[in-house]
Structures are given as structure tokens and as C-alpha cells.
Amino acid sequence: MGSRKYRNYFDGYAKLHSWTFPGNGSAFFSAKIIKSKSYLSSIQENDVEPYLTFRGVIPAYDGAKRFEWMTLNMDDMNVNVINYANRTVAVSDIWQMFEFDLTTLNSIGSVLPPTPPSKFSNFGKKSEMSSAHPVPEYGTQSRFEIIKTLSLIPGMKDRLSVVRIKSLDNTEMVAEWEMEKSHYMHSFSVSPNYVILIAAPYTISIMKMLETCSVEGGMVWDGNANTSIYVVEIKTGRVHTLQTETVFVIHHINAFETPDGKIVMDLPTQVNPFAFDYFDFSYLFNKTARMDILSTPVLKRYTIDLRTKTVSKTVFENGPKAPCAGALEMPVINENYRHIKYCYIYGTVVNYDGMGFSHIALVKKDVCNNEGDLMYAVPHQYFTEPWFVATPGSKEEDDGVLMSSAFDGDKKASYLLMLDPKTMTVINRSYMPTTVPFNFHGRFFDIE
């Protein structure tokens, strides 16, 4: 934008892409950029205006622009889309959201849901950080979300809250507690009776953030510290704190409870947060660097026993038909099986065969029997996070359609891919008249 550019793909302006299926055999595609304040002001000034960014800009801000960056929040929601009581919003890892029309993709405006009253003082504190993955509450239309309240005064504690969002105008406090430092959490898990948070030793420093003019510059990783697990009782708000190995988690998959009262949680784990470097342009534009996979996810199951205050873990073995399935990320499931015992996880694996960045696989991981692991891969096809759409009224967990936005590196063209989840074979694909940039998360909405 003008003479300035972003350093990381996370900071690109938010663009919505939508495929609509009216049910008569045809399909329609549309795309629009979210008209956020940061986007509109950047267009007007022909410069990347100083709103909060993940990894800063080139050239860096100084003087008055640097001061503006310290006061303006991120409002370019380019991570996920969620529906609350028939209002659709784009979200990121902050509490603010951006509403848009689901049918036309027209921008409606910024939304800041009410923050539930706190029993703690808010003096010198800012409640801004959140997660891009609010999780449905079992048996209701509400979703759970987290709020991280950061202290602007050195020596004062930060705060973590779990809230229930009934609508964009109605929120409730479930639990809140103070912490010495805030931990970066992109997602979390929910079972019928608990909200489970993974607090890796990847903490947020407001001072470092202000020094570097970037979110990433304010993140501190301590590879020698344990990871904490917070288990929140939904009915009482009581918080249990447990410890586990040093591990970093970006995306939670699913959690459920066993008949004997234990909590089971499945996670693609990382040894550190350095996989974020994949999205730095210095990595993406470097053919040599792209051959080096910085971090490979490992799919693990954690079992939490609140009676004994213990956490045990199991690493899933790969099945013979998909030897890379345990390295999946961007995980999705059949949403009809959220909160309960399930078998199938779908996701992507980058560099599945060690041949480079252009070898991406879509996988189906069977956590009940690894003989059911399957994969679909074609060289030079860049697949994004898939989305599972269940067949209405289906009684089998993998009965449905798996969709992914893809880019054909040989034809240099984007297409929508549809797979049969039972076999991971192609049902159909539709090439697009325009390029669809690599995207992160999507949702299927059943509209009357």
C-alpha cells in the first residue's frame, strides 16, 4: 500500500470469499474486502496506516505514526467467521469483531460486545485480547469465548476471563482469575461441563509490544517452563490448574467426558511457536527456506483426571494408508459430534512427503482405529483448511462432503474441491475465474 508493505501474511487486509449452493445443481461465488477503518484509511492515505499488526511493516513506523500505532487497535478481522443469533461477524484474536451481511458480503460495521462486569479493578488495564475460535456451548445456542485483560502498569497482574456469548449484545461472566502474565491462546476446548484452556509459556509483554510496534515482538517464549492447563467448571466457575509438558497449541480439536468423569482432549501440538514463521514473507518468498519445515505438529490425546489432579497423554500412531495423518493442522470435525466421543478429524499436512512446501495433503485421521486413516494429495495443489458438511439426517460420522479452497500451482488457478470423506476421493472441483488467496478458517451456513 503506497511505499509501505506488510512483513507477514497474517496482516493482509481481510477478504471474504463465499460459495453459495441454492440446491438446484448450480453454484455461485463472490468475494469482497471488509471495509474496516484500517483498510479505508490506508486507501485514502495510500499508505499502510498504523493499526495494530502481527509482525510490523516495512519501513517501520516512527514519530507520530508510532504513537498512533500505540493507540489504534486492530480492526482487520481476517481469521474466522462466526454466526451469533443470525448476525455474522469476522473475528480475530481480539475482542472486537466486524459484522457483515452473509448473503451479499457487504460490510456493516465494527462490533464490540459488552464486557461482563468484573469483580477485579480495571484501573490501568485493557480488555482487548481474545481468541479467534469461540466454541459452542453444549446443548445451547451460545458460545464460550475468552478475554485477556492486560495491565498497562508494570507490577500489576493481568486477568483471564471465560465468558458466555448469547448474542452480540448479551454476554455473561463464567469465570475470571488473575495471572502474573497473559498467555497467547488462539483456541480452547469445551466439553459438556468444562472449558479447558492450554496456557503455554508463550506470554504477552505490553512493554515489548510497544517497543517493537508488533504483536509478535511482544510475545516471549520460555522453552524451559511447563504448560499450564486451566479447567473451568461451567456451572460453578471454579478453576482447576494442572501442569503438563512444555508444549504449544494453536488449534484445539474436540473434548469430551468419559463415564468415569475424566476429560479427553485432542490437540495438534508443537514443541514451540516458531511455525508462525511460515507466514513471514521472508520465508514464503525464499525457495531455499521453504524446503525447511520449521516445526511438525504431533497429534496427541490428553486425559485429565480432576480427582487425582493428573494429566496423561497419548501420541496417535499413523495408519498405513496415511503415514502423515498425525502431523495434521487446521483440524475440523463433524460438528454434530462436538463435545462427545468421536472418531474422525480432517486437516492439512504441509510437506507431507518431505518434498517441499508445494506438497500439501488433505487427511482424515481416525482416532478410534488408525486403519481408517486416509489422505488425498496431488503435487503443486495448495489446499487450505477443509470444512466438513454433514449429510442432513445422517447416522454415520463421516457421511457428508469435505470442501476445501485450493490453488492449482501448475494451472495457476483457484478452485473449490469437494471430497467424499468416507474415501477421500474427488466428488467434483470447480475452477474459479479469479484467484482466491490462501485462507485460514471457514464455515458452512445453512440459510433458508
Side-chain angles (χ1 to χ4, degrees):
M1 184 70 69
S3 61
R4 208 181 301 270
K5 60 185 178 181
Y6 288 123
R7 297 176 56 196
N8 189 279
Y9 193 76
F10 287 162
D11 294 319
Y13 295 108
K15 190 175 183 181
L16 299 166
H17 302 87
S18 174
W19 286 266
T20 303
F21 309 95
N24 60 3
S26 59
F28 299 91
F29 170 81
S30 56
K32 287 185 180 179
I33 288 180
I34 290 178
K35 302 304 190 294
S36 63
K37 289 182 180 179
S38 61
Y39 172 76
L40 293 175
S41 62
S42 295
I43 289 290
Q44 181 177 344
E45 299 297 328
N46 191 30
D47 190 11
V48 177
E49 285 294 273
Y51 284 74
L52 186 66
T53 55
F54 180 74
R55 191 163 275 189
V57 294
I58 300 173
Y61 297 124
D62 56 16
K65 290 279 188 183
R66 188 181 183 90
F67 179 78
E68 284 185 68
W69 185 93
M70 296 178 186
T71 59
L72 294 176
N73 205 343
M74 179 188 297
D75 77 336
D76 207 47
M77 307 296 135
N78 60 0
V79 179
N80 208 346
V81 287
I82 303 293
N83 189 278
Y84 289 107
N86 295 322
R87 294 174 65 185
T88 312
V89 290
V91 300
S92 188
D93 282 325
I94 63 172
W95 182 236
Q96 185 175 331
M97 309 170 188
F98 200 98
E99 186 175 4
F100 65 94
D101 185 284
L102 187 57
T103 303
T104 65
L105 301 187
N106 289 336
S107 296
I108 296 176
S110 181
V111 177
L112 191 65
T115 303
S118 172
K119 64 183 178 182
F120 299 103
S121 170
N122 284 318
F123 176 76
K125 296 183 178 180
K126 221 171 181 185
S127 299
E128 290 191 349
M129 302 295 290
S130 188
S131 91
H133 292 271
V135 185
E137 180 177 16
Y138 180 75
T140 79
Q141 297 299 310
S142 302
R143 286 178 179 268
F144 290 114
E145 183 57 289
I146 59 174
I147 302 177
K148 282 162 271 186
T149 301
L150 306 180
S151 173
L152 303 177
I153 303 174
M156 291 187 67
K157 291 184 177 181
D158 293 343
R159 186 166 72 243
L160 181 59
S161 306
V162 174
V163 301
R164 176 185 288 109
I165 303 180
K166 291 186 172 182
S167 73
L168 294 177
D169 302 312
N170 186 359
T171 62
E172 295 177 347
M173 183 69 73
V174 177
E176 58 177 341
W177 62 101
E178 290 188 318
M179 311 169 68
E180 293 297 331
K181 297 179 180 179
S182 283
H183 300 255
Y184 175 76
M185 301 178 196
H186 182 69
S187 62
F188 55 95
S189 287
V190 176
S191 69
N193 294 293
Y194 303 98
V195 174
I196 310 102
L197 310 172
I198 302 293
Y202 195 38
T203 54
I204 304 167
S205 167
I206 285 287
M207 295 289 76
K208 289 183 178 293
M209 201 178 290
L210 296 177
E211 290 172 9
T212 60
C213 270
S214 75
V215 173
E216 186 266 348
M219 309 290 276
V220 180
W221 171 253
D222 182 359
N224 296 317
N226 288 334
T227 291
S228 297
I229 299 178
Y230 299 113
V231 181
V232 178
E233 295 182 8
I234 294 172
K235 293 180 180 179
T236 66
R238 181 185 177 189
V239 180
H240 304 265
T241 304
L242 301 92
Q243 300 292 316
T244 189
E245 61 183 334
T246 304
V247 69
F248 179 67
V249 176
I250 302 174
H251 296 115
H252 287 235
I253 302 173
N254 196 20
F256 58 91
E257 296 161 27
T258 61
D260 60 356
K262 296 177 182 177
I263 304 167
V264 176
M265 177 174 56
D266 292 339
L267 308 168
T269 64
Q270 304 267 358
V271 295
N272 55 50
F274 302 153
F276 281 142
D277 290 339
Y278 285 148
F279 297 97
D280 198 279
F281 290 130
S282 63
Y283 175 86
L284 290 173
F285 295 157
N286 188 317
K287 293 181 180 180
T288 303
R290 288 200 306 264
M291 293 297 292
D292 181 20
I293 299 301
L294 306 170
S295 180
T296 300
V298 177
L299 183 59
K300 296 180 182 179
R301 169 163 288 183
Y302 289 81
T303 302
I304 300 170
D305 189 334
L306 292 180
R307 289 173 297 184
T308 60
K309 299 291 185 182
T310 57
V311 181
S312 59
K313 68 178 187 298
T314 303
V315 177
F316 287 105
E317 294 184 1
N318 297 321
K321 297 177 184 177
C324 63
L328 67 82
E329 247 295 350
M330 298 294 189
V332 298
I333 63 171
N334 180 340
E335 285 295 317
N336 294 330
Y337 286 75
R338 183 161 296 283
H339 310 114
I340 63 176
K341 192 177 187 305
Y342 74 117
C343 287
Y344 303 125
I345 307 167
Y346 307 91
T348 60
V349 179
V350 177
N351 195 16
Y352 68 91
D353 57 0
M355 297 298 290
F357 192 78
S358 64
H359 288 226
I360 299 177
L362 290 172
V363 299
K364 174 186 182 180
K365 176 62 187 175
D366 188 341
V367 295
C368 299
N369 180 4
N370 63 14
E371 292 291 327
D373 290 0
L374 296 173
M375 62 183 288
Y376 173 80
V378 180
H380 311 150
Q381 305 302 296
Y382 297 83
F383 305 116
T384 62
E385 176 192 67
W387 187 255
F388 182 92
V389 181
T391 300
S394 60
K395 298 188 184 312
E396 296 176 296
E397 186 182 340
D398 58 353
D399 183 2
V401 176
L402 193 68
M403 296 190 289
S404 174
S405 172
F407 183 78
D408 187 325
D410 296 322
K411 293 184 178 182
K412 293 180 170 55
S414 296
Y415 62 96
L416 179 67
L417 174 68
M418 291 187 174
L419 297 179
D420 179 351
K422 288 182 176 294
T423 60
M424 293 298 283
T425 56
V426 177
I427 297 173
N428 209 337
R429 63 169 60 87
S430 175
Y431 278 88
M432 311 304 300
T434 182
T435 298
V436 180
F438 186 89
N439 50 74
F440 297 111
H441 305 298
R443 291 290 181 273
F444 178 81
F445 299 102
D446 194 358
I447 304 175
E448 295 294 335

